[in-house]
Amino acid sequence: MGEASKVSRYLYTVLILFIIWMFLTSSFDPQELVMGVIFSLIVGALTYEVFTEKGLANLNPRRIAYFVAYIPYFVWAMIMANLDVAYRVLHPKRPINPGIVECKTTLTNNTGKLVLANSITLTPGTITLDIKGDRYFIHWIDVKDESVEGASESITKPFEKFLKVIFE
Amino acid sequence: MSIASIVGQALVLFGTFFYVLSSLGLIRMPDVYNRMQTATKSATLGSLGVIIGVGIWAIGEVNSYSWISKTLIIAVFLLLTNPIAAHALIRAAYKSGVPLWEGSIIDKYKEAEASLERVEQIKEALGESAKEVEKNE
């Protein structure tokens, strides 16, 4: 998928900046809203080129629905990760079995790859070490499968089905 | 005491528990990579718990909703930036030659780097031989 038109990218940047402004001021006073629109237009004009590639196409309802479904899934994975850390830290024998494994991903979009790397870092027992093209090098605290396919199955697969829809 | 205060206090307690775990992990783990694992995950969830907990606590205590929107946006920024910082630190540690713990069983990254180096060497050799061919002609 190529880049969207400049107008669509600009409007999308302004929209996101304005939402952040609303959260930061947390008031619906018309004076504040007008100043927010003005500042969003200025900052958007300076930054839209680096901010987004697809523009308003990101606001597709299917993408938003998958994104909303992704949030509780991700928070649940994070809480499981922390219980896993708690078990490893508090257990007297310190049951770790670390190593660096390699995974493949089917995502092609750069933002999608970034979000996948962040999700991997915050989920049970894995942290992203480096990304080269579609190969992820991951430090796994408890290596169960050394092969590329097996590691991808248990690390990247669960997130890909969401991120594929959100970012591709 | 309203319900919002109780929920907020519970969230702050939950967050501080994970802060303690995170600092305990720094002491107990054997090498830098495993320390990064515990520090990143627990500190991120702990911060989220404390920050959002304070926002909800303010709803119950001073009845103000302007706290929760600010704390929510701080939480989102932390959630987006913390894993990137961890990734940069762990990659810098690997590149500057910090060894893995002796109990580590596999290192695919080293193999990949080695194969990449071999590809570079072959490319160089190919370039040199192409130059020689040109000279001879």
Side-chain angles (χ1 to χ4, degrees):
Chain A
M1 200 176 203
E3 288 192 350
S5 72
K6 280 190 174 180
V7 178
S8 136
R9 283 156 70 199
Y10 178 58
L11 287 179
Y12 178 70
T13 314
V14 169
L15 186 70
I16 297 290
L17 287 169
F18 186 62
I19 290 172
I20 294 174
W21 171 275
M22 296 241 289
F23 267 95
L24 282 175
T25 56
S26 60
S27 84
F28 292 102
D29 188 348
Q31 292 180 354
E32 299 235 25
L33 293 186
V34 169
M35 280 318 279
V37 170
I38 293 171
F39 282 129
S40 312
L41 287 171
I42 295 171
V43 177
L46 297 173
T47 58
Y48 77 96
E49 281 178 350
V50 290
F51 183 66
T52 174
E53 282 181 356
K54 289 208 294 273
L56 290 174
N58 281 322
L59 297 178
N60 185 327
R62 191 170 137 82
R63 286 199 174 123
I64 294 177
Y66 265 79
F67 182 68
V68 170
Y70 180 64
I71 292 172
Y73 181 80
F74 177 67
V75 170
W76 175 248
M78 246 179 99
I79 292 172
M80 290 315 287
N82 280 278
L83 295 179
D84 180 70
V85 166
Y87 167 71
R88 284 182 209 285
V89 169
L90 297 177
H91 195 282
K93 278 206 193 105
R94 203 175 59 189
I96 57 174
N97 181 25
I100 295 172
V101 296
E102 187 188 332
C103 282
K104 289 252 187 233
T105 178
T106 52
L107 295 175
T108 52
N109 182 289
N110 277 337
T111 320
K113 280 186 197 165
L114 170 71
V115 175
L116 179 59
N118 278 0
S119 305
I120 288 170
T121 303
L122 290 174
T123 48
T126 48
I127 188 165
T128 315
L129 189 82
D130 203 352
I131 304 173
K132 286 195 162 96
D134 65 342
R135 305 158 78 193
Y136 279 65
F137 295 95
I138 291 166
H139 185 268
W140 200 355
I141 203 168
D142 181 20
V143 177
K144 297 189 191 81
D145 196 334
E146 296 182 7
S147 70
V148 174
E149 291 80 21
S152 311
E153 195 68 35
S154 54
I155 295 176
T156 57
K157 275 279 160 57
F159 295 109
E160 269 181 359
K161 60 177 186 274
F162 288 97
L163 296 177
K164 195 107 186 124
V165 179
I166 299 174
F167 291 106
E168 296 289 303
Chain B
M1 286 285 271
S2 61
I3 294 173
S5 307
I6 294 168
V7 172
Q9 287 169 4
L11 271 177
V12 171
L13 188 67
F14 171 83
T16 42
F17 171 68
F18 283 114
Y19 274 150
V20 173
L21 273 183
S22 150
S23 48
L24 202 63
L26 282 182
I27 303 169
R28 297 243 325 147
M29 286 297 159
D31 74 349
V32 64
Y33 305 100
N34 293 310
R35 283 189 193 129
M36 289 301 301
Q37 296 255 11
T38 60
T40 315
K41 292 186 225 308
S42 309
T44 310
L45 189 71
S47 312
L48 289 193
V50 170
I51 292 168
I52 295 176
V54 166
I56 294 174
W57 195 349
I59 292 176
E61 207 73 18
V62 291
N63 205 10
S64 133
Y65 285 88
S66 64
W67 285 60
I68 185 74
S69 72
K70 283 177 188 118
T71 54
L72 267 180
I73 209 150
I74 296 171
V76 170
F77 283 163
L78 258 182
L79 190 63
L80 292 179
T81 51
N82 239 352
I84 299 176
H87 166 66
L89 280 174
I90 195 171
R91 186 164 179 272
Y94 196 97
K95 295 271 176 187
S96 59
V98 178
L100 271 82
W101 183 47
E102 59 266 27
S104 307
I105 56 170
I106 183 172
D107 189 352
K108 281 268 173 82
Y109 193 52
K110 203 174 181 181
E111 295 166 19
E113 293 276 271
S115 63
L116 206 72
E117 252 172 46
R118 276 204 56 208
V119 168
E120 298 270 302
Q121 280 172 0
I122 291 170
K123 263 186 195 166
E124 260 176 38
L126 274 178
E128 276 173 19
S129 56
K131 267 180 203 164
E132 271 176 27
V133 168
E134 272 175 22
K135 255 186 210 169
N136 292 342
E137 280 174 358

